[in-house]
Coordinates of all heavy atoms in Angstrom, one line a residue:
A1 N -45.6 -74.3 250.5 CA -45.2 -75.2 251.6 C -44.8 -76.6 251.0 O -43.8 -77.2 251.5 CB -46.4 -75.4 252.6
V2 N -45.4 -77.1 250.0 CA -45.1 -78.4 249.4 C -43.6 -78.3 248.9 O -42.8 -79.2 249.1 CB -46.0 -78.8 248.3 CG1 -45.5 -79.9 247.5 CG2 -47.4 -79.1 248.9
Q3 N -43.3 -77.2 248.4 CA -41.9 -77.0 247.8 C -40.8 -76.9 248.9 O -39.7 -76.8 248.6 CB -41.9 -75.8 246.8 CG -42.6 -76.2 245.6 CD -42.4 -75.1 244.5 OE1 -41.5 -74.4 244.5 NE2 -43.3 -75.1 243.5
L4 N -41.2 -76.9 250.2 CA -40.3 -77.0 251.3 C -39.8 -78.4 251.5 O -38.9 -78.6 252.4 CB -40.9 -76.4 252.6 CG -41.1 -74.9 252.6 CD1 -41.9 -74.5 253.8 CD2 -39.7 -74.2 252.6
V5 N -40.3 -79.4 250.8 CA -39.8 -80.8 251.1 C -38.3 -80.9 250.9 O -37.7 -81.5 251.8 CB -40.6 -81.8 250.1 CG1 -39.9 -83.1 250.1 CG2 -42.0 -81.9 250.6
P6 N -37.7 -80.4 249.9 CA -36.2 -80.5 249.8 C -35.5 -79.8 251.0 O -34.5 -80.4 251.5 CB -35.8 -79.9 248.5 CG -37.1 -79.9 247.7 CD -38.2 -79.8 248.6
V7 N -36.0 -78.7 251.5 CA -35.5 -78.0 252.6 C -35.6 -78.9 253.8 O -34.6 -79.1 254.6 CB -36.1 -76.6 252.8 CG1 -35.6 -76.0 254.1 CG2 -35.9 -75.7 251.6
M8 N -36.8 -79.5 254.1 CA -37.0 -80.3 255.2 C -36.1 -81.6 255.1 O -35.5 -82.0 256.1 CB -38.5 -80.8 255.3 CG -39.4 -79.6 255.5 SD -39.3 -79.0 257.2 CE -41.0 -78.8 257.5
A9 N -36.0 -82.1 253.9 CA -35.1 -83.3 253.8 C -33.6 -82.9 254.1 O -33.0 -83.7 254.8 CB -35.2 -83.8 252.3
Q10 N -33.2 -81.8 253.7 CA -31.8 -81.4 253.9 C -31.6 -81.1 255.4 O -30.6 -81.4 256.0 CB -31.4 -80.2 253.1 CG -31.3 -80.5 251.6 CD -30.1 -81.4 251.3 OE1 -29.2 -81.6 252.1 NE2 -30.1 -82.0 250.1
L11 N -32.6 -80.4 256.0 CA -32.5 -80.1 257.5 C -32.4 -81.5 258.3 O -31.6 -81.6 259.2 CB -33.7 -79.3 258.0 CG -33.7 -77.8 257.8 CD1 -35.0 -77.2 258.1 CD2 -32.6 -77.2 258.6
G12 N -33.3 -82.4 257.9 CA -33.3 -83.7 258.6 C -32.0 -84.4 258.4 O -31.4 -85.0 259.3
A13 N -31.4 -84.4 257.1 CA -30.1 -85.1 256.9 C -29.0 -84.4 257.7 O -28.2 -85.1 258.2 CB -29.8 -85.0 255.4
W14 N -29.0 -83.1 257.7 CA -28.0 -82.4 258.5 C -28.1 -82.8 260.0 O -27.1 -83.1 260.6 CB -28.1 -80.9 258.3 CG -27.0 -80.1 258.9 CD1 -25.8 -79.8 258.3 CD2 -26.9 -79.6 260.3 NE1 -25.0 -79.1 259.2 CE2 -25.7 -79.0 260.4 CE3 -27.8 -79.7 261.3 CZ2 -25.3 -78.4 261.6 CZ3 -27.4 -79.1 262.5 CH2 -26.2 -78.5 262.7
G15 N -29.3 -82.7 260.5 CA -29.5 -83.1 261.9 C -29.1 -84.5 262.2 O -28.5 -84.8 263.3
A16 N -29.5 -85.4 261.3 CA -29.1 -86.9 261.5 C -27.6 -87.0 261.5 O -27.0 -87.9 262.2 CB -29.7 -87.7 260.4
R17 N -26.9 -86.2 260.7 CA -25.4 -86.3 260.5 C -24.7 -85.7 261.7 O -23.8 -86.3 262.2 CB -25.0 -85.6 259.2 CG -23.5 -85.3 259.1 CD -22.7 -86.6 259.0 NE -21.3 -86.3 258.7 CZ -20.4 -86.2 259.7 NH1 -20.7 -86.4 261.0 NH2 -19.1 -86.0 259.4
W18 N -25.2 -84.6 262.2 CA -24.4 -83.8 263.2 C -24.9 -83.8 264.6 O -24.3 -83.3 265.5 CB -24.2 -82.4 262.7 CG -23.4 -82.3 261.5 CD1 -23.8 -82.1 260.2 CD2 -22.0 -82.5 261.4 NE1 -22.7 -82.2 259.3 CE2 -21.6 -82.4 260.0 CE3 -21.0 -82.7 262.3 CZ2 -20.3 -82.5 259.6 CZ3 -19.7 -82.8 261.9 CH2 -19.3 -82.7 260.6
L19 N -26.2 -84.3 264.8 CA -26.8 -84.2 266.2 C -27.1 -85.6 266.7 O -27.3 -86.5 265.9 CB -28.0 -83.3 266.1 CG -27.8 -81.9 265.6 CD1 -29.2 -81.2 265.4 CD2 -26.9 -81.1 266.5
D20 N -27.1 -85.7 268.0 CA -27.5 -87.0 268.6 C -29.0 -87.1 268.6 O -29.6 -86.7 269.6 CB -26.9 -87.0 270.1 CG -27.1 -88.4 270.7 OD1 -27.3 -89.4 270.0 OD2 -27.0 -88.4 272.0
T21 N -29.5 -87.7 267.6 CA -31.0 -87.8 267.4 C -31.5 -89.2 267.8 O -30.7 -90.1 267.8 CB -31.4 -87.4 265.9 OG1 -30.7 -88.4 265.1 CG2 -31.0 -86.0 265.6
A22 N -32.8 -89.2 268.0 CA -33.4 -90.5 268.3 C -33.5 -91.4 267.1 O -34.0 -90.9 266.0 CB -34.8 -90.3 268.9
P23 N -33.1 -92.7 267.1 CA -33.1 -93.5 266.0 C -34.5 -93.6 265.2 O -34.6 -93.5 264.0 CB -32.7 -94.9 266.5 CG -32.0 -94.6 267.8 CD -32.6 -93.3 268.3
E24 N -35.6 -93.7 266.0 CA -36.9 -93.8 265.4 C -37.3 -92.5 264.7 O -38.1 -92.6 263.7 CB -38.0 -94.3 266.4 CG -38.4 -93.2 267.4 CD -37.5 -93.1 268.6 OE1 -36.4 -93.7 268.6 OE2 -37.9 -92.4 269.6
L25 N -36.8 -91.4 265.1 CA -37.1 -90.1 264.5 C -36.1 -89.8 263.4 O -36.4 -88.9 262.6 CB -37.1 -89.0 265.5 CG -38.2 -89.2 266.6 CD1 -38.0 -88.1 267.7 CD2 -39.6 -89.3 266.1
T26 N -35.0 -90.5 263.3 CA -34.0 -90.3 262.3 C -34.2 -91.1 261.1 O -33.8 -90.7 260.0 CB -32.6 -90.6 262.9 OG1 -32.4 -89.8 264.1 CG2 -31.5 -90.3 261.9
V27 N -35.0 -92.2 261.2 CA -35.1 -93.1 260.0 C -35.8 -92.4 258.8 O -35.4 -92.6 257.7 CB -35.9 -94.4 260.4 CG1 -37.3 -94.1 260.7 CG2 -35.7 -95.4 259.4
R28 N -36.7 -91.5 259.0 CA -37.4 -90.8 257.9 C -36.4 -89.9 257.2 O -36.4 -89.8 256.0 CB -38.6 -90.1 258.4 CG -39.8 -91.0 258.8 CD -41.0 -90.2 259.2 NE -40.8 -89.7 260.6 CZ -41.8 -89.4 261.4 NH1 -43.0 -89.4 261.0 NH2 -41.5 -89.0 262.6
A29 N -35.6 -89.2 258.0 CA -34.6 -88.3 257.4 C -33.6 -89.1 256.6 O -33.2 -88.6 255.5 CB -33.9 -87.5 258.5
E30 N -33.2 -90.2 257.1 CA -32.2 -91.0 256.3 C -32.8 -91.6 255.1 O -32.2 -91.6 254.0 CB -31.7 -92.2 257.2 CG -30.9 -91.7 258.4 CD -30.6 -92.8 259.4 OE1 -31.3 -93.9 259.4 OE2 -29.7 -92.6 260.2
L31 N -34.1 -92.0 255.1 CA -34.7 -92.5 253.9 C -34.9 -91.4 252.9 O -34.6 -91.6 251.7 CB -36.1 -93.0 254.2 CG -36.2 -94.4 254.8 CD1 -37.6 -94.8 255.3 CD2 -35.6 -95.5 253.9
L32 N -35.3 -90.2 253.3 CA -35.4 -89.0 252.4 C -34.0 -88.7 251.8 O -33.9 -88.3 250.6 CB -36.0 -87.8 253.1 CG -37.5 -87.9 253.2 CD1 -38.0 -86.7 254.1 CD2 -38.2 -87.8 251.9
A33 N -33.0 -88.7 252.6 CA -31.7 -88.3 252.1 C -31.2 -89.4 251.1 O -30.7 -89.0 250.0 CB -30.7 -88.3 253.3
D34 N -31.4 -90.7 251.4 CA -31.0 -91.7 250.5 C -31.8 -91.7 249.2 O -31.3 -92.0 248.1 CB -31.2 -93.1 251.1 CG -30.2 -93.3 252.3 OD1 -29.2 -92.6 252.4 OD2 -30.5 -94.3 253.1
G35 N -33.1 -91.3 249.3 CA -34.0 -91.3 248.1 C -33.7 -90.1 247.2 O -34.0 -90.1 246.0
G36 N -33.1 -89.0 247.8 CA -32.7 -87.8 247.1 C -33.9 -87.2 246.3 O -35.1 -87.5 246.5
P37 N -33.5 -86.3 245.4 CA -34.5 -85.6 244.6 C -35.6 -86.4 244.0 O -36.8 -85.9 244.0 CB -33.7 -84.8 243.6 CG -32.4 -84.6 244.3 CD -32.1 -85.9 245.1
P38 N -35.3 -87.6 243.4 CA -36.5 -88.4 242.9 C -37.5 -88.7 243.9 O -38.7 -88.6 243.6 CB -35.8 -89.6 242.3 CG -34.4 -89.2 242.1 CD -34.0 -88.3 243.1
M39 N -37.1 -89.1 245.1 CA -38.1 -89.4 246.2 C -38.8 -88.1 246.6 O -40.0 -88.1 246.9 CB -37.4 -90.0 247.4 CG -38.4 -90.4 248.5 SD -37.5 -91.1 249.9 CE -38.4 -92.7 249.9
W40 N -38.1 -87.0 246.7 CA -38.7 -85.7 247.1 C -39.8 -85.3 246.1 O -40.8 -84.8 246.5 CB -37.6 -84.6 247.2 CG -36.4 -84.9 248.1 CD1 -36.4 -85.9 249.0 CD2 -35.2 -84.3 248.1 NE1 -35.1 -85.9 249.6 CE2 -34.4 -84.9 249.1 CE3 -34.7 -83.2 247.4 CZ2 -33.1 -84.5 249.3 CZ3 -33.4 -82.8 247.7 CH2 -32.6 -83.4 248.6
E41 N -39.5 -85.5 244.8 CA -40.4 -85.1 243.8 C -41.7 -86.0 243.9 O -42.8 -85.5 243.8 CB -39.8 -85.3 242.4 CG -38.8 -84.2 242.0 CD -39.5 -82.8 241.9 OE1 -40.6 -82.7 241.6 OE2 -38.7 -81.8 242.3
R42 N -41.5 -87.3 244.2 CA -42.7 -88.2 244.3 C -43.5 -87.8 245.6 O -44.7 -87.7 245.5 CB -42.2 -89.6 244.5 CG -41.8 -90.3 243.2 CD -41.7 -91.8 243.2 NE -41.3 -92.4 244.5 CZ -40.1 -92.6 244.9 NH1 -39.0 -92.3 244.2 NH2 -39.9 -93.2 246.1
F43 N -42.8 -87.4 246.6 CA -43.5 -87.0 247.9 C -44.2 -85.7 247.6 O -45.3 -85.5 248.1 CB -42.4 -86.9 249.0 CG -43.1 -86.6 250.3 CD1 -44.3 -87.2 250.7 CD2 -42.4 -85.8 251.3 CE1 -44.8 -87.0 252.0 CE2 -43.0 -85.5 252.5 CZ -44.2 -86.1 252.9

């Protein structure tokens, strides 16, 4: 399950890009996308 972090990050980034999402719920997806694999590894 821990190794699903990159999948969750990519799902969140895709949703933030293509769907009308709530700003407060989108901020985490944007941070994870911006942080990329180094942030995912730390998480």
Side-chain angles (χ1 to χ4, degrees):
V2 168
Q3 290 189 20
L4 286 171
V5 165
V7 174
M8 296 289 223
Q10 292 292 343
L11 279 172
W14 187 91
R17 165 67 177 93
W18 293 104
L19 304 172
D20 186 19
T21 57
E24 74 276 11
L25 299 175
T26 304
V27 70
R28 289 181 282 201
E30 292 170 344
L31 284 173
L32 280 171
D34 292 346
M39 181 180 239
W40 306 344
E41 287 296 329
R42 288 195 328 272
F43 188 37

